[in-house]
Amino acid sequence: PVPAATVAGNRVTLDFADDVINLPDNVVNDGDRIVLRLTAVTADVAGNRPGTALTNTGQLLFTDANDAPRTLEAAARAEVVGP
């Protein structure tokens, strides 16, 4: 299922509702992954010229198998490219 997406400023929120259920099987494999591929467009300003490295941050909020709320955070660098 496609999650509902909301964009507010520089924040994108994806709501998977209750559609994603991963029953524990003690095996870590591709069935345990959700892959999101996002393409972004930067503002056409001097600080965003090709070759500039920008930091993207992400946060995942979910409920674990014990019904406890969890949060995971990560950051990744991305290089600005241009035409």
Side-chain angles (χ1 to χ4, degrees):
V2 176
T6 305
V7 178
N10 66 353
R11 179 180 295 238
V12 177
T13 302
L14 302 172
D15 185 354
F16 290 89
D18 292 328
D19 297 330
V20 178
I21 299 171
N22 184 8
L23 298 176
D25 60 6
N26 294 318
V27 177
V28 177
N29 57 25
D30 284 344
D32 299 315
R33 302 180 201 287
I34 297 174
V35 177
L36 303 174
R37 297 189 194 285
L38 304 174
T39 301
V41 177
T42 63
D44 188 11
V45 296
N48 290 339
R49 58 183 119 224
T52 301
L54 301 175
T55 300
N56 293 303
T57 58
Q59 186 179 59
L60 173 66
L61 292 89
F62 64 99
T63 303
D64 69 14
N66 296 318
D67 211 27
R70 302 273 312 270
T71 301
L72 299 175
E73 296 180 352
R77 309 247 325 144
E79 183 178 325
V80 175
V81 296

